[in-house]
Amino acid sequence: MVSARQAAYLQALGVDVYVPRSSPPWQTEVAAEVDAPAVPAVAAPARVPAPKPARAPSSIVRREPIALPDIAANLDWDELRAAVVACQRCELHATRTQTVFGVGNPQARWMFIGEAPGAEEDKQGEPFVGRAGQLLTSMIRALGLRREDVFIANVLKCRPPDNRDPKPSEAVSCRGFLERQVALVNPTLIIAVGRIAAQNLLATETPITKLRGKVHSFGAQAWPVVVTYHPAYLLRSPGEKRKSWQDLLHARQLFGRLEQESASGGRA
Ligand code: SF4
């Protein structure tokens, strides 16, 4: 059921491919779809930013957008990048080597959002580098995409000292930048990478085990979000890689459905 290309990437992920007899319903559905044609090319022609969606799949778990100071609304990419570089909205500006804005295709259909830069990211100025970054790249490839086709960002643009978790106040301070990034990219689907990213994006304290396998929404335009484990966690807990593969299958199936709805006018 899995193509040779996907099998190669799954091997890189350390995942043995099989479909358990008691697969959850969504897993069975997507497993049956693995042989389907590859997802549409991500490096798509320029897209005009979409207006507010007319509707979203009924399965999306909606939360009211958080009212935030309008720190970045209406900024273009260059202005936004400059605003982040100059930002001193929280204490993290004092200890960063540099800000870590995000990388990738500014018109990507897939967006991956992690929690915050680590030591290596702080040094290089790019999110998801090092071993965890390599594993994220393998996960992206498992979806049939290239790293440069997607957009990768973090909830925080500056590194928390000693790799501590972001403080809620820091995430709130930085959220306007992330919301503007998402609005400029206007992705079809967001993957929240890891518990911290998911809980901050979705403004919830629900454990990641209960956030996985569902469709959530982020921001004023209710961009669809699915949740998976952070690659750093997968490196520490390789037994969980199978679950991350299930998450990717879920994401791929949802992406196809959202693109189909968009093409038929269901989602602007
Ligand atoms: S983490 Fe965000 S809000 Fe805090 S200083 Fe950096 S860019 Fe500004």
Side-chain angles (χ1 to χ4, degrees):
M1 298 180 65
V2 178
S3 70
R5 182 186 62 184
Q6 287 169 326
Y9 293 129
L10 289 172
Q11 194 175 14
L13 278 172
V15 173
D16 299 323
V17 181
Y18 80 101
V19 178
R21 289 175 192 278
S22 57
S23 305
W26 58 263
Q27 183 190 350
T28 304
E29 285 172 24
V30 288
E33 196 196 62
V34 168
D35 277 341
V39 291
V42 174
R47 287 183 297 144
V48 176
K52 204 166 185 172
R55 66 183 176 83
S58 56
S59 55
I60 288 184
V61 180
R62 287 181 174 282
R63 289 189 177 83
E64 288 303 312
I66 300 174
L68 292 167
D70 201 3
I71 59 167
N74 304 320
L75 299 186
D76 65 22
W77 277 112
D78 290 342
E79 292 166 337
L80 183 62
R81 191 179 292 272
V84 168
V85 167
C87 181
Q88 299 187 359
R89 290 175 55 83
C90 79
E91 64 186 26
L92 297 181
H93 80 274
T95 51
R96 70 189 177 206
T97 301
Q98 59 188 312
T99 53
V100 179
F101 183 75
V103 290
N105 181 350
Q107 294 183 320
R109 293 178 180 174
W110 294 79
M111 195 160 176
F112 290 75
I113 301 178
E115 66 180 81
E120 203 52 42
E121 287 81 7
D122 176 69
K123 205 184 295 176
Q124 295 190 31
E126 181 170 334
F128 285 98
V129 294
R131 284 184 69 217
Q134 286 168 10
L135 184 52
L136 180 70
T137 301
S138 292
M139 294 163 73
I140 292 168
R141 286 178 177 163
L143 287 165
L145 305 166
R146 299 172 305 170
R147 183 175 165 111
E148 58 267 34
D149 292 331
V150 308
F151 196 91
I152 305 172
N154 281 315
V155 169
L156 294 187
K157 311 307 182 202
C158 303
R159 179 196 178 202
D162 304 318
N163 291 335
R164 67 161 169 76
D165 289 350
K167 295 177 184 172
S169 61
E170 293 162 351
V172 168
S173 296
C174 217
R175 187 172 171 112
F177 295 135
L178 180 64
E179 287 226 23
R180 187 60 186 154
Q181 284 180 307
V182 174
L184 287 169
V185 173
N186 191 27
T188 299
L189 182 59
I190 296 170
I191 312 276
V193 182
R195 174 182 65 85
I196 302 283
Q199 290 180 337
N200 276 290
L201 279 179
L202 305 175
T204 181
E205 294 183 355
T206 303
I208 189 169
T209 49
K210 293 191 174 161
L211 296 174
R212 292 178 51 247
K214 298 189 175 108
V215 188
H216 308 270
S217 67
F218 171 77
Q221 291 194 34
W223 284 276
V225 178
V226 297
V227 174
T228 192
Y229 292 113
H230 196 286
Y233 170 75
L234 296 175
L235 289 170
R236 292 193 304 271
S237 310
E240 301 288 62
K241 286 181 179 176
R242 178 172 303 285
K243 293 181 185 168
S244 81
W245 172 236
Q246 292 170 348
D247 294 335
L248 297 183
L249 290 173
H250 175 211
R252 179 179 152 145
Q253 183 198 45
L254 174 66
F255 178 87
R257 183 156 59 97
L258 292 169
E259 290 278 297
Q260 214 169 19
E261 288 180 10
S262 176
S264 62
R267 185 174 183 268

